[in-house]
Amino acid sequence: MTKRALITGLTGQDGSYLAELLLEKGYEVYGLVRRSSTSSLSRIAHFADRVHVVPGDLLDQCSLMDVISDTHPDEIYNLASQSYVPLSWTQPALTAEYTALGVSRLLEAIRRCQPKARFYQASSSEVFGQPDESPQSEKTAFRPRNPYGTAKAYAHWMTTNYREKYGLYACCGVTYTHESPRRGAEFVFRKITRTAAQIKLGLASELRLGNLDAKRDWCHAEDVVTAMWMMLQQETPGDYVIASGQTYAVRELVEFAFRYLDLDWEQYVSVAPEFYRPNESVELVGDVTQIQTDLGWKPKYSFKQLVELMVDYDMQQLMAAK
């Protein structure tokens, strides 16, 4: 029998890659999209005719219940949220409505309408904030330091509470920063690869960044969505850290990207105070022991491969637009 999956956040980076993966595995895929959404459908344009786009909103309990009752999904992946951390400071209440309370509404809709469905909640390393230990594991205490991380912590705990209280098959994947050519240009990884490509083509002359020594744990989004799917195929539900287990400084990312284009990064990169964030006292990096042991999951893409892939993509896009 063909499995059915419902994805919220279908048009986002993760949603589009997950939909592709599920289609390859023979799923019937439904994607929840707000009627009023102005988000681009470009990420799913190449397979839009193979998915069912259904209207619904995480702010509207009834719409979620209607969608779940109508589609009868076997698996539900909640990837929708307001996920840009700086915006969560200017719109904290809206971030809470979508990223926190939206999950409560979705869990309640599942409990009432499709309690046998398997549910994946996209958690985030932002729940750790300023952790007491490094690397961080499934047992690391939450200490969120911004409205987005706080909302994600609420959603994480509501998911585990519904699992324990009502016996739902509900999982949280604590994802670290993950990138792809479908990543928004406002995020630092894409900002670096795109600007490097612009400089190579004579379309820009400078790249302004914040703290070059800040370190991040970066993965490819394709690897992350594979882990999401694997989590819902296990006999019993569990929460996992999804990460590469390695960190690279922003400086190293810049060096890789510019060297790949035969550019001397020091001629073009400047530090801008408005982008500067101090070094974290404890490094944010995921401990992937549990997911590798239980699921056998490992990232397919190396950091270097990810950088080169994204630089190539940005070069192609910019050259096609000239």
Side-chain angles (χ1 to χ4, degrees):
M1 183 180 292
T2 301
K3 280 188 176 183
R4 292 184 174 192
L6 173 65
I7 303 170
T8 73
L10 172 71
T11 60
Q13 170 186 253
D14 294 3
S16 63
Y17 278 114
L18 177 62
E20 281 184 299
L21 175 68
L22 296 178
L23 288 169
E24 288 172 7
K25 294 183 178 297
Y27 281 66
E28 188 172 357
V29 177
Y30 294 82
L32 186 78
V33 176
R34 286 182 292 133
R35 280 194 188 278
S36 60
S37 176
T38 56
S39 63
S40 170
L41 300 179
S42 61
R43 292 187 180 100
I44 66 167
H46 57 294
F47 62 83
D49 59 338
R50 299 170 61 200
V51 298
H52 308 280
V53 175
V54 293
D57 199 316
L58 291 178
L59 300 186
D60 185 353
Q61 180 81 59
C62 291
S63 75
L64 297 175
M65 294 176 72
D66 288 345
V67 166
I68 290 172
S69 295
D70 291 344
T71 59
H72 300 290
D74 300 290
E75 298 172 6
I76 299 170
Y77 298 84
N78 182 39
L79 310 183
S81 72
Q82 189 305 98
S83 60
Y84 189 47
V85 171
L87 185 60
S88 77
W89 282 112
T90 58
Q91 296 185 334
L94 186 65
T95 298
E97 283 289 348
Y98 276 110
T99 308
L101 295 180
V103 179
S104 287
R105 297 183 189 102
L106 186 53
L107 285 164
E108 189 62 15
I110 295 169
R111 182 180 79 85
R112 291 174 179 270
C113 304
Q114 190 77 348
K116 297 298 183 184
R118 297 189 169 196
F119 175 64
Y120 174 87
Q121 165 59 22
S123 194
S124 165
S125 60
E126 289 290 336
V127 300
F128 296 131
Q130 292 184 344
D132 294 320
E133 60 185 6
S134 186
Q136 298 81 45
S137 73
E138 292 77 8
K139 296 180 180 178
T140 300
F142 290 1
R143 296 179 61 195
R145 302 292 292 174
N146 55 61
Y148 171 70
T150 302
K152 280 292 189 183
Y154 173 94
H156 185 110
W157 288 121
M158 286 301 290
T159 301
T160 58
N161 273 277
Y162 265 69
R163 179 172 71 217
E164 294 168 4
K165 173 70 174 176
Y166 298 114
L168 296 185
Y169 191 109
C171 303
C172 294
V174 183
T175 57
Y176 281 66
T177 309
H178 46 288
E179 311 290 340
S180 76
R182 300 176 193 174
R183 183 68 144 159
E186 70 271 22
F187 294 94
V188 68
F189 201 115
R190 185 72 191 282
K191 178 182 177 180
I192 289 168
T193 60
R194 187 168 180 81
T195 307
Q198 288 173 328
I199 291 171
K200 182 67 175 179
L201 295 172
L203 301 173
S205 59
E206 184 184 24
L207 171 60
R208 290 163 59 81
L209 294 170
N211 184 1
L212 297 180
D213 296 319
K215 292 187 175 182
R216 290 290 179 270
D217 184 326
W218 278 295
C219 266
H220 194 303
E222 278 189 18
D223 288 326
V224 170
V225 301
T226 299
M228 296 176 186
W229 175 79
M230 292 175 73
M231 284 174 62
L232 294 198
Q233 312 314 307
Q234 306 308 302
E235 188 173 335
T236 56
D239 305 324
Y240 292 96
V241 165
I242 304 174
S244 72
Q246 299 177 319
T247 59
Y248 289 87
V250 173
R251 186 188 308 275
E252 293 175 282
L253 168 53
V254 171
E255 288 173 349
F256 274 140
F258 278 73
R259 188 186 308 130
Y260 186 58
L261 292 171
D262 293 320
L263 295 171
D264 179 0
W265 71 272
E266 293 183 293
Q267 293 183 22
Y268 304 100
V269 177
S270 62
V271 174
E274 63 267 30
F275 300 133
Y276 200 89
R277 281 202 257 173
N279 287 330
E280 288 88 2
S281 56
V282 176
E283 198 169 84
L284 265 180
V285 54
D287 181 344
V288 292
T289 303
Q290 201 65 49
I291 193 169
Q292 290 185 354
T293 301
D294 293 357
L295 276 61
W297 174 85
K298 287 185 179 179
K300 181 173 67 174
Y301 292 89
S302 69
F303 178 74
K304 185 172 182 287
Q305 287 173 321
L306 178 58
V307 175
E308 293 178 356
L309 181 152
M310 289 182 63
V311 170
D312 284 340
Y313 177 82
D314 283 321
M315 285 289 290
Q316 291 165 9
Q317 291 291 104
L318 291 166
M319 289 173 70
K322 289 182 73 173

